[in-house]
Amino acid sequence: MAFSTTAKKASRGMLLPVIAISVLSFVQCASKHSVTTSATASNPDKGLKDYYKDYFPVGVAVSMASLHGPDSALIVKEFNSVTPENDMKMGPIHPSENVYNWKNADAIVDFAVSHHIKIRGHNLCWHNQEAAWMFKGSNGEPVTKELLLQRLKDHIFAVAGRYKGKIYAWDVVNEAVDDSDDTTQVYRKSNWYKICNGPDFIDSAFKYAHEADPNAKLYYNDYNSEHPVKREKIYKLLKKLIEDHAPIDGVGMQAHWKLNDPSPDELRKALDEVTSLGLKVQFTEMDITIRLPKPNPAPGTTPAVAGATPTPDQGYTPEVEVKQVAQYKMAFDIIRQYKKFITNVTFWNVSDRASWLDGRGGGIMGGAAAGVNTPRVVIKAYPLLFDENRQRKKAYIAVVNF
Ligand code: XIL
């Protein structure tokens, strides 16, 4: 650490009022001029990657669809890192024991290499989009821990081995921490955890990834990493990995954020805690949804019935825009201050035209899951820096003007 905790605290004490004032005046200014502020207050010849060239690579999650068609030019212009949104996950890439689907992953890697764009690999071990076959023996019985770890090793050697030297950082284990408020429940009770009867699989995954590609930087990746309870659980997991000498380089904070979440203080605390362990940080899946938190179901109703009273479809109003701009500005102001620890910031999807969030939440929060008798209430998330026409939003202007 280059500066002491005391020095850090002192400098933060001085910086906070300045940040508070500048965010406040920006918000006031933005709300006064929200209709007239021109989206051209950025340099059309520069992309995000150029604005941040002295800080960190700026990335985006990509699919096959985004490599072809209008997103592609935007990706090349704005970003110098990509993450495959789905195509390297265990289920999609390794659907049965001897079957690997390399086509999409290879295409993304080829695209990135040909444009001199860095690649983050996502991910090698997760409880979602998993390869169900891994957990079962030939007669459908649960596998032993030994066999599961052997399969995990084979998988990691195949995937990380194939892209060795091309993928510079891997999310080795994704979302292994429990979400509840119970502080004694550190680990998610996933198939991995249950079959291995504990968190050893996390250590093993890091070990295998390091063996498969010794030069790749290895990350533990999770969401809500700024929320106090989860932050402490993630800290415990990281501490254990370090004590076990697992080859971990850093933490991916997914950064699926909201208009008021995280607070500046929470963001700083999360960064301070992780970096105090000597780890790097990447913001791996950034987006800031405009959606309000899901209302709690009324007592005695099922969530589905409660869902019949949807959050009003506010749309991307000027008020919402001002809040989103302020949240993006706050986050990037802090992120820049931590530049020596931060080695990537990646957005999850290219533009508000197609965010993964728009497909989530069923009838209540918008998305595709509304049924015949449930009105389809599409509450778009508008979470990114480019609008539905792929134009720079005011939030873009806010993060590049520093
Ligand atoms: C999401 C993708 O964006 C969707 O297309 C897919 O249907 C589900 O997964 N945390 C992660 C990402 O680590 O892999 C998830 O990506 C979003 C949440």
Side-chain angles (χ1 to χ4, degrees), residues 246-299:
I248 180 172
D249 294 287
V251 177
M253 299 186 177
Q254 291 187 4
H256 292 298
W257 289 337
K258 302 196 173 60
L259 296 178
N260 59 354
D261 169 21
S263 69
D265 192 46
E266 285 172 342
L267 179 53
R268 287 176 188 284
K269 281 213 174 85
L271 285 165
D272 287 344
E273 207 164 89
V274 162
T275 55
S276 75
L277 290 170
L279 296 170
K280 299 286 188 204
V281 174
Q282 304 200 336
F283 289 96
T284 53
E285 307 184 14
M286 186 178 281
D287 49 19
I288 300 182
T289 181
I290 66 155
R291 288 186 195 159
L292 304 169
K294 206 172 187 168
N296 289 327

Side-chain angles (χ1 to χ4, degrees), residues 10 32 132 178 304 319:
K32 242 188 275 165
D178 171 77
E319 291 73 27

Side-chain angles (χ1 to χ4, degrees), residues 85-86 89 122 126 129 174-175 254 256 285 348 356:
E85 181 179 4
N86 288 300
K89 292 172 181 170
H122 176 81
W126 191 23
Q129 293 176 278
N174 203 30
E175 304 178 354
Q254 291 187 4
H256 292 298
E285 307 184 14
W348 208 246
W356 74 293

Side-chain angles (χ1 to χ4, degrees), residues 177-195:
V177 163
D178 171 77
D179 276 322
S180 76
D181 283 338
D182 179 352
T183 50
T184 63
Q185 290 290 333
V186 174
Y187 299 99
R188 182 188 294 276
K189 299 287 175 287
S190 65
N191 282 327
W192 296 102
Y193 185 93
K194 287 191 230 156
I195 295 171

Side-chain angles (χ1 to χ4, degrees), residues 63-367:
S63 61
M64 289 301 278
S66 54
L67 298 191
H68 305 287
D71 276 349
S72 153
L74 185 79
I75 292 168
V76 173
K77 169 158 193 160
E78 299 282 349
F79 300 99
N80 52 1
S81 174
V82 292
T83 306
E85 181 179 4
N86 288 300
D87 292 309
M88 287 186 188
K89 292 172 181 170
M90 201 179 258
I93 209 168
H94 194 177
S96 53
E97 187 154 18
N98 297 312
V99 178
Y100 283 92
N101 290 328
W102 299 119
K103 196 165 158 262
N104 293 359
D106 282 358
I108 291 171
V109 169
D110 291 347
F111 171 89
V113 169
S114 72
H115 291 286
H116 309 289
I117 292 175
K118 291 163 96 76
I119 308 159
R120 297 193 80 256
H122 176 81
N123 55 58
L124 295 170
C125 180
W126 191 23
H127 66 281
N128 270 335
Q129 293 176 278
E130 56 193 10
W133 65 268
M134 282 218 185
F135 305 110
K136 299 210 173 94
S138 47
N139 298 320
E141 77 283 6
V143 285
T144 60
K145 174 177 177 178
E146 288 63 38
L147 181 54
L148 186 60
L149 290 181
Q150 183 58 50
R151 287 177 168 176
L152 179 64
K153 182 175 182 179
D154 292 345
H155 172 81
I156 291 178
F157 269 57
V159 180
R162 183 174 182 93
Y163 301 115
K164 185 174 170 174
K166 292 185 174 160
I167 287 189
Y168 89 103
W170 270 105
D171 291 327
V172 178
V173 176
N174 203 30
E175 304 178 354
V177 163
D178 171 77
D179 276 322
S180 76
D181 283 338
D182 179 352
T183 50
T184 63
Q185 290 290 333
V186 174
Y187 299 99
R188 182 188 294 276
K189 299 287 175 287
S190 65
N191 282 327
W192 296 102
Y193 185 93
K194 287 191 230 156
I195 295 171
C196 295
N197 199 22
D200 293 8
F201 70 96
I202 305 175
D203 290 78
S204 301
F206 275 91
K207 185 170 146 273
Y208 304 150
H210 185 60
E211 282 167 20
D213 186 353
N215 291 323
K217 301 290 181 200
L218 304 182
Y219 282 76
Y220 171 73
N221 193 46
D222 214 328
Y223 58 89
N224 289 348
S225 37
E226 308 79 21
H227 291 185
V229 174
K230 192 146 180 200
R231 187 185 76 213
E232 293 313 315
K233 295 186 188 186
I234 292 175
Y235 184 76
K236 281 188 185 149
L237 174 149
L238 298 171
K239 230 166 160 266
K240 179 183 178 310
L241 284 176
I242 291 169
E243 277 159 20
D244 293 347
H245 304 289
I248 180 172
D249 294 287
V251 177
M253 299 186 177
Q254 291 187 4
H256 292 298
W257 289 337
K258 302 196 173 60
L259 296 178
N260 59 354
D261 169 21
S263 69
D265 192 46
E266 285 172 342
L267 179 53
R268 287 176 188 284
K269 281 213 174 85
L271 285 165
D272 287 344
E273 207 164 89
V274 162
T275 55
S276 75
L277 290 170
L279 296 170
K280 299 286 188 204
V281 174
Q282 304 200 336
F283 289 96
T284 53
E285 307 184 14
M286 186 178 281
D287 49 19
I288 300 182
T289 181
I290 66 155
R291 288 186 195 159
L292 304 169
K294 206 172 187 168
N296 289 327
T301 62
T302 64
V305 173
T309 315
T311 312
D313 184 353
Q314 52 188 347
Y316 198 62
T317 62
E319 291 73 27
V320 157
E321 180 180 54
V322 166
K323 287 187 187 154
Q324 190 184 52
V325 167
Q327 184 72 346
Y328 261 118
K329 178 169 166 48
M330 178 281 286
F332 273 83
D333 283 349
I334 292 177
I335 290 171
R336 282 193 305 275
Q337 288 165 15
Y338 284 79
K339 92 172 199 182
K340 63 184 288 245
F341 303 108
I342 293 174
T343 54
N344 186 296
V345 175
T346 287
F347 291 87
W348 208 246
N349 300 126
V350 180
S351 78
D352 287 351
R353 180 176 284 253
S355 154
W356 74 293
L357 294 167
D358 294 336
R360 283 168 63 86
I364 183 165
M365 294 298 278

